Each structure stands twice: as structure tokens, then as C-alpha cells.
Amino acid sequence: MIKKQIILPTLLLATILIGGMTGCTSSKSPDVSQADNGTKVSDTSTTNSPASNTPERAKKREEVRKQVEAVLTPDQVKQLSTKLQQGEKMRKAVLSLNLTAEQKTKIQDIFKTAYPHRQGQSQNNS
């Protein structure tokens, strides 16, 4: 009699705990992930948003980076590489370098040619 009183609640509790843990760790949809606070956040990597990291965009960013590096001094190239590896955006990293007036003009032309849809934004950031 005592064994039934102990075993039944123990099994019930174990079932609830295991079910609750698996419910918290597994996702029912591959395009949804959970943030640290438990709220669900949609995964935008498969959408056609401007921030998508497609191979074409990566290739274009690499070309722009090479063009910008051609304008910079070797020390500035090292500084830029460090900032980019730390996750800083290209435009912000370039603007934080100690650029000459000639370098600024050349780099602005590179950005305007590469990203013509951002001309209004680049004027605000300069």
C-alpha cells in the first residue's frame, strides 16, 4: 500500500518534469527560435530582407572592402580588418579611421557607386 502511494506520485511528477523540459528545449517549427527570455523570435535568414546574407551580397561586400582597402594605408587596412573582425559595420569602421580629405572623397565615391540606394543615408552619416 505504501509503495503505491509513493510510486504513483513519483511517476506523475517525473512525467510532468520530463514533458516540461522537452517542451522548453524543442521547437515545433524550424524557422522559429527562442530568445533568452523564452519569447519566440522569427528567423529572418530565409526571408528576402535587405539584411539577408546571400552569396551575392557577400561577394559585393568583399569587392567594396577591396576597393576601400586600395585607398587606405597599410596601417589603416590593419585597423579596418580588426574592426570588421570585431563585428563593426564597414561604413562605421571606415569612418572611425583617421582619413585624409582625399581618402574620404574616394571612399564616399566607392560607397555611392556600390550602394546608390543609400545616398540619402550616407549624407546623414557624414
Side-chain angles (χ1 to χ4, degrees):
M1 186 81 165
I2 295 176
K3 289 183 181 178
K4 286 183 181 179
Q5 291 175 345
I6 295 173
I7 293 174
L8 187 59
T10 304
L11 288 175
L12 183 60
L13 183 61
T15 304
I16 292 171
L17 288 175
I18 292 172
M21 289 189 324
T22 57
C24 290
T25 58
S26 68
S27 176
K28 305 236 185 303
S29 175
D31 64 338
V32 174
S33 61
Q34 290 185 347
D36 290 339
N37 61 2
T39 60
K40 291 187 178 187
V41 179
S42 293
D43 181 13
T44 59
S45 64
T46 58
T47 62
N48 290 331
S49 69
S52 293
N53 201 7
T54 62
E56 296 86 20
R57 287 179 55 88
K59 183 178 177 182
K60 185 173 184 177
R61 280 193 304 269
E62 184 67 21
E63 289 172 2
V64 170
R65 186 184 59 81
K66 286 181 181 180
Q67 290 175 359
V68 168
E69 286 180 352
V71 175
L72 301 175
T73 65
D75 287 339
Q76 289 171 328
V77 171
K78 288 178 187 177
Q79 290 174 8
L80 178 64
S81 294
T82 302
K83 289 175 189 263
L84 293 176
Q85 287 175 355
Q86 293 172 347
E88 199 166 318
K89 301 281 185 183
M90 169 70 90
R91 188 174 299 269
K92 185 177 179 184
V94 168
L95 291 174
S96 69
L97 300 174
N98 189 15
L99 301 173
T100 65
E102 183 180 349
Q103 286 176 319
K104 285 180 186 180
T105 303
K106 288 180 181 179
I107 290 173
Q108 284 175 349
D109 289 341
I110 292 169
F111 284 149
K112 284 179 185 177
T113 303
Y115 307 108
H117 61 282
R118 290 190 169 188
Q119 285 183 355
Q121 293 176 355
S122 64
Q123 291 171 354
N124 293 338
N125 291 340
S126 297

